[in-house]
DNA sequence: GTCCAGGGTGAAA
DNA sequence: TTTCACCCTGGA
């Protein structure tokens, strides 16, 4: 663990700037559109947030995406972590070929900067989506930040903390989690953290099949089909995961004439059949399409 | 100030 | 299989 002295030393380090090897994408919709909850927008369109134990600023000048962080000696590692986080190796051409002609959102895929599916830390992702139920993005961000505050401070901002390990959450206890605003989700997170404290590594589920990993995740309190699919899609490399929430459900019914009373699990199966390994990407776009309609008063 | 929906889950009917 | 309570915050 870092000592406080080491942390303050970190803040004085020189900043490094790196150019990321991926085409410009929609920073706002990707970083702050509901799949991750630890990025904060600046007035100039750039974002600041947490990547593991680093505060990173990410920006796009139209042609290139770049990231800045403190600690130039860790340049290579952060660059690698950042590209991994953004899944820079995704075959964008193939993705576009699969989704560009879909009704409703196809033109967004074809003509606009991409909304990317990212590859988050599984524990952070699990915490985030246990908090997400019956909540909205501002509130989820608030809850995740509150949990993070139990971890190590790595910067001056009120969100600049390294997310604590499950053990720390267990020691804090359900009552503390309630006090910091998680409501009835406090019980779910406390119990899940307890199970995880004795679990070797959530990331192992990346090696399991989609269905095996899904079943394992749903064994955690507070994790149903929707939360499991979010964690699978956004942190465990399961592109065939298709989280079905009320918005995506509406979009699927509207765009593809599914039955009004179709079961959510059936919507997921339908999506896997249609989109294959790009179901998770399609889900982000269908969610966005539905929200856009709502905003535009359609 | 009030009202309501908000990227569901778990328990009980 | 279906219904309902659950915490509480942001936005109308």
């Amino acid at each position: 663990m870092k000592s406080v002295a080491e942390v303050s030393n970190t803040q004085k380090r020189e900043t490094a700037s790196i150019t990321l090897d991926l085409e410009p994408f929609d920073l706002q919709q990707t970083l702050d559109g509901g799949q991750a909850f630890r990025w904060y927008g600046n007035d100039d369109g750039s974002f600041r947030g947490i990547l593991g134990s680093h505060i990173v600023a990410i920006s796009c000048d139209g042609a290139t995406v770049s990231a800045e962080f403190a600690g130039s000696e860790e340049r290579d590692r952060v660059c690698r972590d950042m590209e991994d986080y953004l899944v820079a190796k995704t075959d964008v051409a193939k993705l576009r070929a699969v989704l560009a002609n879909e009704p409703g959102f196809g033109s967004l895929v074809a003509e606009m900067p991409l909304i990317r599916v990212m590859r988050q830390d599984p524990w952070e992702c699990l915490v985030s989506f246990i908090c997400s139920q019956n909540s909205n993005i501002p509130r989820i961000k608030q809850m995740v930040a509150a949990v993070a505050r139990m971890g190590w401070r790595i910067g001056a901002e009120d969100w600049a903390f390294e997310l604590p390990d499950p053990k720390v959450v267990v020691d804090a206890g359900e009552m503390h989690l309630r006090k910091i605003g998680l409501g009835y989700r406090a019980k779910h997170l406390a119990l899940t953290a307890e199970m995880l404290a004795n679990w070797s590594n959530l990331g192992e589920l990346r090696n399991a099949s989609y269905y095996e990993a899904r079943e394992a995740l749903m064994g955690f309190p507070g994790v149903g089909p929707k939360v499991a699919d979010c964690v699978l899609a956004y942190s465990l490399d399961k592109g065939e995961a298709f989280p079905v929430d009320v918005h995506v459900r509406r979009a699927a019914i509207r765009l593809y004439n599914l039955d009004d009373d179709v079961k959510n699990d059936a919507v997921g199966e339908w999506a896997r059949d249609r989109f294959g390994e790009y179901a998770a990407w399609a889900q982000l776009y269908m969610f966005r399409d539905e929200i856009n309609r709502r905003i535009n008063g359609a």
Side-chain angles (χ1 to χ4, degrees), chain A residues 29-94:
Chain A
Q29 291 305 322
T30 300
L31 298 172
D32 202 19
Q35 63 172 311
F37 303 92
R38 304 197 71 196
W39 295 95
Y40 297 84
N42 300 316
D43 292 338
D44 64 359
S46 67
F47 281 78
R48 281 163 60 74
I50 308 284
L51 184 69
S53 56
H54 285 270
I55 295 176
V56 176
I58 182 164
S59 58
C60 179
D61 69 0
T64 59
V65 181
S66 52
E68 275 184 28
F69 53 92
S72 51
E73 70 277 15
E74 296 187 83
R75 180 191 185 88
D76 290 345
R77 190 169 73 82
V78 175
C79 190
R80 209 164 51 237
D81 289 351
M82 197 74 224
E83 291 186 345
D84 183 62
Y85 184 80
L86 296 168
V87 202
K89 61 185 180 299
T90 297
D91 187 339
V92 167
K94 190 175 169 194

Side-chain angles (χ1 to χ4, degrees), chain A residues 99-107 251 254-256 274-275 286 289:
Chain A
L99 299 181
N101 295 314
E102 293 298 321
F105 63 89
S107 58
R254 171 170 56 84
L255 296 173
Y256 297 94
R274 185 174 185 99
F275 305 117
M286 287 169 68
D289 189 56

Side-chain angles (χ1 to χ4, degrees), chain A residues 95-206:
Chain A
L95 166 83
R96 285 215 174 84
V98 172
L99 299 181
N101 295 314
E102 293 298 321
F105 63 89
S107 58
L108 294 180
V109 178
E111 298 160 19
M112 305 289 284
L114 287 178
I115 303 172
R116 303 187 70 95
V117 170
M118 299 188 289
R119 187 179 200 243
Q120 300 177 57
D121 171 73
W123 162 238
E124 178 174 322
C125 197
L126 184 57
V127 171
S128 300
F129 285 97
I130 285 176
C131 290
S132 76
Q133 65 177 111
N134 254 290
S135 202
N136 48 36
I137 292 174
R139 187 167 179 213
I140 299 165
K141 289 176 78 163
Q142 189 172 298
M143 288 187 278
V144 174
V147 174
R149 256 172 236 122
M150 292 189 278
W152 284 98
R153 180 181 275 285
I154 55 177
E157 297 87 344
D158 61 358
W159 45 261
F161 292 79
E162 193 175 336
L163 194 74
D165 290 336
K167 179 74 168 59
V168 175
V169 174
V170 172
D171 290 344
E174 177 187 340
M175 281 311 157
H176 178 73
L177 295 173
R178 268 184 186 270
K179 202 175 337 178
I180 63 176
L182 268 65
Y184 63 86
R185 306 164 195 83
K187 183 176 186 178
H188 297 155
L189 184 59
L191 290 170
T192 291
E194 199 172 324
M195 288 172 67
L196 272 172
N198 301 314
W199 183 298
S200 51
N201 187 359
L202 257 190
E204 284 174 2
L205 293 177
R206 281 177 175 153

